[in-house]
Amino acid sequence: MTFDSRVFQQVPRLLFGSGATGRLRELVPAAGGWYLYIVDSTLESTAIIDRLPTRGEDRTEWFPAVDHEPSTVQVDEIRDRVAASSNGLPMAIVGVGGGSTMDVAKAVSVMLTNPGSSSEYQGWDLVQQPGVFKIGVPTLSGSGAEASRTAVLMGPDQKFGINSDHSMFNALVLDSGLICGVPADQRFYSGMDCFIHCVESLQGSMINELARSFAIQGLDLCMKVFMDDGTDDDLMTASFMGGVSIVNSEVGICHALSYGLSMELGFRHGFANCVAFRVLDEYYGEWVETFRRMLERHGIDLPEGCCLGLTDEALDRMVQMTLRMDRPLTNALGPRWRDHLTTERILDLYSRM
Ligand code: NAD
Ligand code: ZN
């Protein structure tokens, strides 16, 4: 099968616009039942919560996205609590937060209808049963998790996605009113995740014209937001378009390296991508130059020598993590990527971060 002939995927129902969150229930095809809201606990004390159209029978799970990247253990715990409820399965699951919380909502949705631990589904197309109807409500833009078919989780020994048609959201609310309070540095790091998605998807081989158009438009909007006077609507749209482009193509070398940084150093995804992208001139040339200008314009100082204190064992785990990223590396460097991206080459790149 060529990549051109894959089924093009995108979330089928979507509400767009500042204030749209209040209309969330219009997206659910059936009336009745109760809704499970999985909400980033950072938002607990904000006005965002008052905008959610919750009803008496609904439940809220506060997810501590601030602590670290989400894990399979956390997903299993939420699933167990919900499954133990006497109300039966929820009619809808609503994930409200950044990529971490949205991925948890996606994973909980499929784990309520499939047996075992979520760690057993990290991989490609391992989920058998459709999940509970799920709605994504981003409160932070860039990850593209709202648009993608993966739920990225830290498992027992790897950071990996549950990649499945069943882990895509059934509906989205893109309400730019929810991202206006994001701290500037976090807005930048997550926004750069989107910029890097678009670059990696455009520079790779697993792309068709339709996905390319999403990536080009996502990139243009990132330039407008981070180098000019773009709005929160622009940023929210860029994140979605970058997400659609990677679902229908692939990421590349930066993501393959950044997973190792997140695993061993606990770096958040957007930040880890920034640290990795900065040393990838050889692969993404002019885009790395543009990225440096964005860093400067936003007064962001990335740390140097991040990997210098790591043990050989830790570095080896990072290399192994990178080498597992076959699809992104095939996308970026072709099927013979191992001839170029040797252990020594990966260690050299990490040593320059
Ligand atoms: P995030 O969800 O990890 O959140 C980062 C921080 O921002 C957290 O402390 C969170 O509490 C805070 N935050 C969220 N919304 C906020 C708001 N409105 N105001 C103030 N603070 C807010 O960050 P992210 O960059 O959106 O997502 C990164 C995660 O997404 C990683 O776990 C990564 O692996 C995953 N990811 C998934 C995909 C996918 O396709 N599924 C793609 C890229 C990244
Ligand atoms: Zn990413």
Side-chain angles (χ1 to χ4, degrees), residues 40-43 46 48 63-70 97-103 106 138-153 159 178-183 186 189-191 193 197 243 246-247 255 259 262 268-271 273:
D40 184 331
S41 56
T42 305
L43 307 172
T46 71
I48 288 180
F63 182 74
V66 70
D67 294 347
H68 46 70
E69 302 239 299
S100 297
T101 310
M102 287 192 284
D103 278 355
K106 287 152 82 172
T139 65
L140 175 60
S141 285
S143 75
E146 64 274 29
S148 82
R149 75 191 284 277
T150 182
V152 185
L153 300 170
K159 176 176 172 175
L178 305 188
I179 67 169
C180 57
V182 176
Q186 185 64 58
Y189 297 137
S190 296
D193 189 21
H197 290 158
I246 48 164
V247 191
H255 275 72
Y259 275 30
S262 291
R268 306 312 295 251
H269 180 72
F271 179 73
N273 271 336

Side-chain angles (χ1 to χ4, degrees), residues 189 261 265 267 271-272 274-279 281 291-292 295 300-310 348-353:
Y189 297 137
L261 294 172
L265 294 166
F267 287 0
F271 179 73
C274 288
V275 168
F277 197 67
R278 191 181 41 171
V279 306
D281 301 74
F291 172 68
R292 290 207 186 91
L295 283 173
I300 303 280
D301 272 327
L302 293 176
E304 307 268 351
C306 299
C307 301
L308 293 184
L310 290 172
D348 175 55
L349 289 168
Y350 277 134
S351 75
R352 288 196 265 133
M353 289 178 195

